Amino acid sequence: MATLEDFIKQAQEIELLRFTTAGSVDDGKSTLIGRLLHDAKCIYEDHLAALHSDSRRAGREGVDFALLTDGLRAEREQGITIDVAYRHFATPRRRFIIADTPGHEQYTRNMVTGASTADLAVILIDALNGVTTQSKRHGFIASLLGIPHITVAVNKMDLVGYSQNAFENIVAEYAEFASKLRTQDLEFIPISALHGDNVVYRSPNMPWYEGAPLLAHLENVHIASDRNLIDFRFPVQYVLRPSGSFRGYCGNVASGVVRVNDEVVVLPSGKTSRVSRIIYDRQDVDYAFPPQPITICLEDELDISRGDMLAHPANLPWIAHELEAMLIWMHEEPLRLDRQYLIKHTTTTARGRFFDLKYVIDPSTLHRQPATNLKLNDIGRISMQLFRPILCDEYQRNRQTGCFIVIDPQTNFTVGAGLIIDRLHRYEAPERHIVHHKGHVGIEDRARVLGQRPVTIWLTGLSASGKSTLAYALEKRLIEEGRACFVLDGDNIRQGLNRDLGFSPEDRTENIRRVAEVAKLFNDAGLIVITSFISPFRKDRLNARQIIGNERFIEVFVDAPLEVCEARDPKGLYAKARAGEIPDFTGISSPYEAPESPDLHLRTDQISINEAVRTVMTFLEKKNVL
């Protein structure tokens, strides 16, 4: 027979899912949570009796499940959620912590608080009202906070007669909006929280819905791979020194995995040592992972204190004074660029100030707008300067070390939350830890085997000037002649490798740098690379030439007048840019710096695609590439 300790241990070992609910006011968030707990039989008898009593006292017909989470007097009087309420419950398959967050726009900051640690967001949409601005706002914030799973629960299906068309119209509208977000997993479930349809049990009123009820979806959504198990980060919270013979460093594993005997570096001092012991739950263990609270002992006695960080020597965070971040302002008093704030990041706090507010984002349209300051609930991209460095990562890479909160030093109020997005810093290990490995097969060997000299044909020009058309036609011609080649296309690269980059000048620079590094590797493998990128700035193309190598870099200016490109406009981008829907669009609102002395200049408004391909092939033969 299982003992109480066995039962507790078994319960602790079940996987934990943190999720948050969000949506417009009166969409039924609290009712959904109450229904979920009730139908899953996770309400104690005395709580259920109190719920019945409260419902009668409030004059409700039947049981009002919203009263289960609306604990504040003001919440019950107004029938809304004001503060974040947390509930814990468990099923045989999984444990859950729910954050019931407010729907009013004025309480968006509370929604951010509840969502900051969530693995999944349940966004409710009233089937009668359809997609609202708040629905989009919450989807954007969930995406911004890096919540990997979003489940859209279309509630109150009973009020639309359980109509499949009503559900599918909402799905189509919201899916189009969500396609602009960085959302990995998006699910839609039609429910009625009031009557329990598709909450815990499958609804007989919606036989056309073939998916799982909400609880079954929550029990089975895969979250094990969401955590960062690569970049070991251990912010030290305090030093444990119970006796002269023991020195341990306590804290939570923010990310990555650490094992006994691992070499670690202490930041910011840069001193190295090895892990001698890892203690978790008063027992020695061989390894630890996030978010375990552990004590680490090192072989050497080093000067380590709160705010320091342990990491693996070949995988270090940034040590940065200046950063860029997406800042969510959470206070009635607007952000002031002329004053200092306290920046609390992991276990350390530093003074700093903000400057150069680049733009604010309209969460309902995702458009960027110029601004001079941030007001309550505004979200904007901004530069910041710290008076002493912090050890951080980009938020999309590491949610624990990539975020911070802003504190007013005079009132101690938390006035903002930031997500680090700076891409100008590179993840680089100290030079002493980098060794360039050289294989036994040289570039000359690969060129001899493939019968070609590897080069990068860099096609640059305005959008719709014909770069991609030429790139793929040239690739086809080279393949027909038995050459090994590959096209790096701008749209394809931004769907994968560079999906985290925007179209600001800084992001365009980073986009071209990464492409140049990939092209260099492909050239090292012996391939001819054809790139198709607008690459509007000369300095970026010069940097690409330096990365790839001058002898391998062939710059081809694919030239067509702007009016011709606009007339072609196969993607409709110029029309959107003229309408102001696409900021920083090359040729319209962002400059294009034409090459001053390209290796080839092709006027695609004057020659056919076949002539252009022949011209490039002739050039390659003259240069002994083929």
Side-chain angles (χ1 to χ4, degrees), residues 119-287:
D119 303 302
L120 181 146
V122 178
I123 297 177
L124 278 87
I125 295 178
D126 188 324
L128 205 57
N129 297 331
V131 178
T132 65
T133 300
Q134 273 299 77
S135 309
K136 294 179 179 178
R137 178 186 293 271
H138 289 157
F140 169 67
I141 293 174
S143 170
L144 187 67
L145 293 174
I147 298 177
H149 308 279
I150 293 179
T151 300
V152 178
V154 182
N155 193 20
K156 303 184 183 180
M157 288 296 296
D158 52 305
L159 298 183
V160 294
Y162 300 104
S163 166
Q164 183 177 0
N165 285 338
F167 173 70
E168 291 181 347
N169 289 338
I170 291 174
V171 169
E173 183 179 353
Y174 201 82
E176 181 182 1
F177 167 76
S179 65
K180 306 170 190 171
L181 306 176
R182 297 174 181 173
T183 303
Q184 304 172 15
D185 177 25
L186 180 66
E187 291 287 336
F188 295 88
I189 302 177
I191 67 170
S192 170
L194 183 64
H195 301 292
D197 295 287
N198 284 337
V199 177
V200 173
Y201 304 106
R202 183 182 294 279
S203 170
N205 298 314
M206 291 177 276
W208 44 265
Y209 174 68
E210 299 178 348
L214 179 61
L215 181 60
H217 175 68
L218 296 175
E219 287 182 323
N220 292 288
V221 65
H222 181 68
I223 61 170
S225 59
D226 294 341
R227 291 198 172 93
N228 183 339
L229 299 177
I230 298 174
D231 309 308
F232 172 58
R233 307 284 187 259
F234 183 75
V236 176
Q237 289 184 343
Y238 63 92
V239 181
L240 187 61
R241 196 80 192 276
S243 67
S245 60
F246 183 91
R247 183 194 295 265
Y249 308 101
C250 305
N252 288 66
V253 181
S255 62
V257 178
V258 60
R259 296 175 175 80
V260 174
N261 292 325
D262 274 0
E263 185 181 15
V264 293
V265 60
V266 182
L267 298 172
S269 69
K271 295 178 180 176
T272 59
S273 183
R274 287 191 179 276
V275 177
S276 59
R277 294 178 65 187
I278 300 174
I279 302 171
Y280 170 64
D281 195 19
R282 293 175 293 180
Q283 295 181 355
D284 278 61
V285 295
D286 295 328
Y287 61 91

Side-chain angles (χ1 to χ4, degrees), residues 356-427:
D356 191 16
L357 178 59
K358 299 182 182 303
Y359 55 80
V360 295
I361 295 180
D362 183 341
S364 59
T365 63
L366 303 183
H367 289 170
R368 300 173 180 179
Q369 300 169 345
T372 55
N373 65 8
L374 293 179
K375 302 184 292 296
L376 177 65
N377 296 328
D378 278 351
I379 300 171
R381 178 169 175 168
I382 197 167
S383 300
M384 56 188 289
Q385 183 181 50
L386 301 168
F387 300 153
R388 65 186 177 93
I390 59 172
L391 306 161
C392 61
D393 296 277
E394 188 172 16
Y395 183 81
Q396 290 296 329
R397 179 167 176 154
N398 196 320
R399 291 177 69 181
Q400 281 65 43
T401 57
C403 66
F404 59 86
I405 61 172
V406 185
I407 300 171
D408 187 319
Q410 294 181 347
T411 63
N412 274 335
F413 288 161
T414 298
V415 294
L419 315 174
I420 297 170
I421 59 170
D422 191 350
R423 301 183 184 94
L424 299 181
H425 293 82
R426 301 179 185 180
Y427 290 91

